[in-house]
Amino acid sequence: MRNKKKRLVLRSIILLLLSAAIIFVLYSNFSKDNRKVAAVGEEAPNFVLKDLEGNEYKLSDYRGKGVFLNFWGTWCEPCKDEMPYMENQYQKYKDEGVEIIAINVGETKIAIENFAKQYNLTFPIVIDESGEVQKAYGIFPLPATYLINSDGIIVDYIETTMTEEMVQQYMEKIKPE
């Protein structure tokens, strides 16, 4: 009789824990907005951010060009892998109407400058100090890239590490005709 009581108590505790876990999972999935704020097929949210020298970059100023909008961090290993590929392809596509805007997610200027020098980056690097642009685009995790056509419409979203071939294909995809 005593073993039956222990088993009943143990089963009740397990059932209670499983129920709590299920409720938590359901609550966390339904209480957050899983939709990206910036969605494929929609106009890219405009922003104004400054580069390391204080120059302002406004996305809407790039109408008529394809924009490879990359969110990155100096600590992000996949970002370190992609940057040389992006620089190589930028050199090929910048005269064909494709621009890169690399948005750093709010790190120090010194860390960003050292990173840019280490990888010999020549494309614009701007800083999202407040995190507002990252939030507007629903960015997490890094790296993340939005492809924006010459009309300002998002045509693709990539949240995986890119090879140089992939970067080239994506730049070709947003190259103005």
Side-chain angles (χ1 to χ4, degrees):
M1 188 76 163
R2 194 170 161 162
N3 283 339
K4 282 187 177 184
K5 259 189 174 177
K6 283 184 180 179
R7 249 187 278 143
L8 178 62
V9 169
L10 187 58
R11 286 180 182 167
S12 297
I13 291 171
I14 291 171
L15 183 62
L16 183 65
L17 289 173
L18 285 173
S19 297
I22 291 170
I23 290 169
F24 174 76
V25 168
L26 290 174
Y27 173 77
S28 60
N29 281 330
F30 289 113
S31 66
K32 65 182 178 184
D33 183 10
N34 289 326
R35 181 186 168 275
K36 294 267 182 256
V37 177
V40 173
E42 295 181 0
E43 185 172 339
N46 196 26
F47 59 81
V48 178
L49 292 174
K50 292 183 180 180
D51 67 10
L52 297 168
E53 288 79 40
N55 302 311
E56 287 189 348
Y57 286 80
K58 186 175 181 182
L59 181 62
S60 59
D61 289 345
Y62 289 86
R63 284 286 166 92
K65 294 184 174 193
V67 178
F68 189 94
L69 188 64
N70 181 262
F71 291 81
W72 67 283
T74 60
W75 46 266
C76 165
E77 291 300 322
C79 300
K80 294 175 185 179
D81 294 340
E82 291 179 346
M83 287 297 175
Y85 307 148
M86 290 168 49
E87 178 63 31
N88 290 343
Q89 295 306 314
Y90 177 66
Q91 294 305 319
K92 294 177 184 175
Y93 282 90
K94 67 181 180 180
D95 294 331
E96 295 185 44
V98 176
E99 291 288 338
I100 291 178
I101 302 176
I103 301 179
N104 180 273
V105 293
E107 295 180 86
T108 65
K109 289 183 180 183
I110 292 171
I112 299 166
E113 285 173 350
N114 289 339
F115 186 93
K117 285 178 188 172
Q118 178 182 354
Y119 290 93
N120 298 313
L121 304 178
T122 61
F123 49 77
I125 296 174
V126 296
I127 308 168
D128 185 15
E129 292 177 348
S130 67
E132 287 183 31
V133 177
Q134 185 179 2
K135 185 177 179 182
Y137 279 83
I139 300 300
F140 185 82
L142 296 179
T145 302
Y146 277 91
L147 303 179
I148 304 167
N149 70 15
S150 59
D151 296 321
I153 304 299
I154 297 169
V155 295
D156 208 346
Y157 173 67
I158 302 99
E159 58 180 356
T160 186
T161 307
M162 294 179 281
T163 64
E164 186 155 7
E165 183 180 343
M166 292 168 71
V167 172
Q168 185 270 327
Q169 290 170 352
Y170 292 140
M171 289 194 172
E172 193 65 38
K173 185 174 186 176
I174 57 173
K175 184 173 78 171
E177 295 177 13

